[in-house]
Amino acid sequence: MKNLHIKLLLSLIIFAVILVTVVTFTNRKLVQNDIQERTKVNWSLIENQILDNLEATDTVQYHLEQDLSKTVETELRKMAMLYKENSDILSWDLEEMKQQHGMEIFIMDNTNTIVHTTYPPDLGMNFKECCAEFDRVLTQRRLSGEFFTEGIDISTQLNEMWKYSYLATPDHEYLMELGIRAKDVALFSDFNFFDIATKLPKEYDDLLEVKIINRAGNYLSNSEGEHESVKSNDTEFQAAFRRALETSNIIQYERHIGDGIIETYRFLPYDNVQNRSYSTKRVVFLKYSNASELAWLKRNTQQFYFILAVAIFTSIIALIVLNLILMKTIRQAERDPLTGVYNRATYLEQVEKLLKRQQRKKMGVLLFDVDNFKQVNDQYGHIKGDIVLVELAKMLEQLARKEGFVVRFGGDEFAIVIKDATIEKLEQIANKAIEEITLKRQGSDLAWAVLSLSIGGTLQADLQETERDLYSRADEALYMSKHGGKNRYSLKVL
């Protein structure tokens, strides 16, 4: 019965665990897929918003720069006319020119080295040494003799947002450049992307960072003093940036930070269609995390353990209820309804288990038959006879204790099965039973006065014997006791 309770409890718990696990993790997978789909949608919305804002900003800036570009071109044309009058460009008073239009002046020779400027930190700078690709662009512009103007971009050396324009001298010996800081241009303050890029990570939990990178690999920023470039990152980052720039395809890779945290790096190529200058190509860098997904998964795990605890608790309650409902039925199925000891069916089941044991222990069987029991029924009635049988069963259970178990085969026939038996142990229990009946017979209850016990015992001879073999020998020993005068114990072994 005890084992049945344990098995039933384990079955209910296992069923609850399986059910809760399957339902929870199926739901977890569905919701996780939904989160991943919504994440892709959010990424698309974020990136479309960024690209749309970039395009809108560039469009507005392009149209508002037209007047500025005309002013810059006029000043550069004046410088070209001055060069025709005085080709000794190094003798020019650039500071006086700057006072007239307010822009910084840079003069580059045919090696693309700044040889004369109003901005001393750039004096002597050679673009061939720092920026090979831009160096080739400057050479082409010097040789073409045409006017060129850039959109607002970051200065390689100054690490500030500037607008530059170029015009070569008539003899193509020098390239003249005028530059104006973006912060000094009112239109840039009114229409810029950087405020938007700063606000977006605050609006989206999974968006950690937004950067605009020009083709030279420098980060475009609205803040002075920040000096970052692609080169400050690792080789994987630099390679992804170059692939996005060269292929015009979105490049993405992931980094596993630990504790389930994954950072996704995405590089979106972008062309400023309004300005076909050197600064037209850019890359938008975005860094995402899976913080929202991890937070949901954590909540889901907590819910799983809570539901599992409720399911296990419910299983225990269900077991108690089932025990209350089935206890009587189960007991009736395995025990004799009158005496409460095992019935024949349970006896056969238990003996089979003992016979299959791997241990080399021998089993013993004692069969009991109540002598003259019919006289009790005849003289005192069947109710009294039942009382005698119940008392006898209790007595036999006390004798068996933990050594084995008691069985009622029917009528007044009982048995004790000894799990680990010896001839001496069988004889001891049998003699004790006869003594107990003798004391009962000498007592005040007259119903016991006519009763005695005939007992037959046997010991398992080898491990190959069956229940039928043991019962048959014990029955023969009982027959010997009956026909030997009753009230005695007989043993039959092989």
Side-chain angles (χ1 to χ4, degrees), residues 11-48:
S11 298
L12 288 171
I13 291 176
I14 291 172
F15 174 76
V17 170
I18 292 174
L19 180 62
V20 172
T21 302
V22 169
V23 171
T24 300
F25 281 92
T26 299
N27 179 68
R28 181 189 184 99
K29 189 64 178 176
L30 292 173
V31 177
Q32 193 172 15
N33 290 339
D34 181 61
I35 289 175
Q36 292 171 353
E37 287 299 320
R38 284 192 284 113
T39 297
K40 293 178 181 178
V41 172
N42 285 340
W43 285 9
S44 179
L45 291 174
I46 291 170
E47 292 166 8
N48 287 337

Side-chain angles (χ1 to χ4, degrees), residues 107-290:
I107 306 296
M108 288 172 278
D109 64 12
N110 56 14
T111 65
N112 295 330
T113 300
I114 298 176
V115 294
H116 199 18
T117 180
T118 57
Y119 193 82
D122 273 11
L123 185 62
M125 177 181 174
N126 186 300
F127 285 93
K128 186 176 294 184
E129 296 175 356
C130 73
C131 317
E133 184 180 356
F134 191 51
D135 176 70
R136 290 191 294 273
V137 172
L138 292 174
T139 298
Q140 292 171 1
R141 291 177 177 179
R142 181 171 46 80
L143 295 176
S144 73
E146 297 178 10
F147 170 74
F148 291 91
T149 185
E150 294 281 4
I152 294 175
D153 199 0
I154 192 166
S155 169
T156 305
Q157 291 295 103
L158 307 181
N159 194 39
E160 293 181 70
M161 299 301 296
W162 284 62
K163 176 177 174 59
Y164 292 107
S165 299
Y166 306 85
L167 182 65
T169 57
D171 58 2
H172 306 292
E173 285 297 318
Y174 297 95
L175 184 63
M176 300 176 294
E177 177 184 11
L178 291 181
I180 181 170
R181 290 180 177 86
K183 65 181 181 180
D184 297 331
V185 183
L187 64 91
F188 178 75
S189 301
D190 295 333
F191 298 95
N192 70 84
F193 170 76
F194 305 108
D195 290 340
I196 300 172
T198 303
K199 293 176 181 177
L200 280 175
K202 298 176 182 178
E203 296 176 4
Y204 296 93
D205 294 335
D206 290 342
L207 180 61
L208 302 180
E209 189 177 350
V210 179
K211 293 285 188 182
I212 309 299
I213 312 173
N214 68 8
R215 68 187 301 165
N218 297 310
Y219 291 168
L220 307 185
S221 172
N222 199 24
S223 302
E224 295 183 14
E226 291 187 6
H227 191 193
E228 281 188 290
S229 70
V230 171
K231 293 180 181 178
S232 64
N233 292 275
D234 56 33
T235 55
E236 187 176 16
F237 188 99
Q238 296 179 44
F241 164 74
R242 286 195 299 270
R243 288 201 306 275
L245 195 63
E246 294 167 0
T247 64
S248 295
N249 293 324
I250 297 176
I251 304 299
Q252 172 181 317
Y253 69 91
E254 294 180 348
R255 282 186 177 167
H256 294 259
I257 307 302
D259 296 327
I261 299 174
I262 299 175
E263 289 184 349
T264 302
Y265 294 69
R266 283 173 64 82
F267 298 79
L268 282 62
Y270 169 77
D271 278 350
N272 179 1
V273 296
Q274 300 295 337
N275 188 344
R276 306 310 301 174
S277 62
Y278 176 76
S279 62
T280 181
K281 295 198 72 171
R282 302 172 190 170
V283 172
V284 180
F285 165 67
L286 301 102
K287 180 165 71 173
Y288 298 97
S289 79
N290 61 336

